[in-house]
Amino acid sequence: MKTLERLWTVDEVAVYLGVPAATLYQWRCRRIGPPAHRVGKHLRYLPEDVRAWVREQA
């Protein structure tokens, strides 16, 4: 059974990608950034989705 990683916050993804958090919000509006999910009122990212998105950019 695969162990699930905890979801990343916007700030954690911003640090991982080396971009401002505001850039992630802009990308989300333009539908060009890594896929994000709403958890209640919070925006969260699956780490494997972020890593896959980075690989696709190369």
Side-chain angles (χ1 to χ4, degrees), residues 5-26:
E5 291 183 74
R6 75 175 179 79
L7 300 174
W8 288 353
T9 66
V10 172
D11 290 333
E12 289 170 326
V13 175
V15 169
Y16 180 79
L17 297 176
V19 299
T23 298
L24 290 172
Y25 288 113
Q26 290 172 1

Side-chain angles (χ1 to χ4, degrees), residues 4-50:
L4 296 176
E5 291 183 74
R6 75 175 179 79
L7 300 174
W8 288 353
T9 66
V10 172
D11 290 333
E12 289 170 326
V13 175
V15 169
Y16 180 79
L17 297 176
V19 299
T23 298
L24 290 172
Y25 288 113
Q26 290 172 1
W27 287 351
R28 181 166 164 79
C29 288
R30 295 170 57 197
R31 299 174 190 230
I32 61 172
H37 308 276
R38 283 266 171 219
V39 178
K41 66 178 182 175
H42 304 285
L43 193 60
R44 295 291 185 259
Y45 293 83
L46 290 166
E48 62 267 21
D49 288 350
V50 175

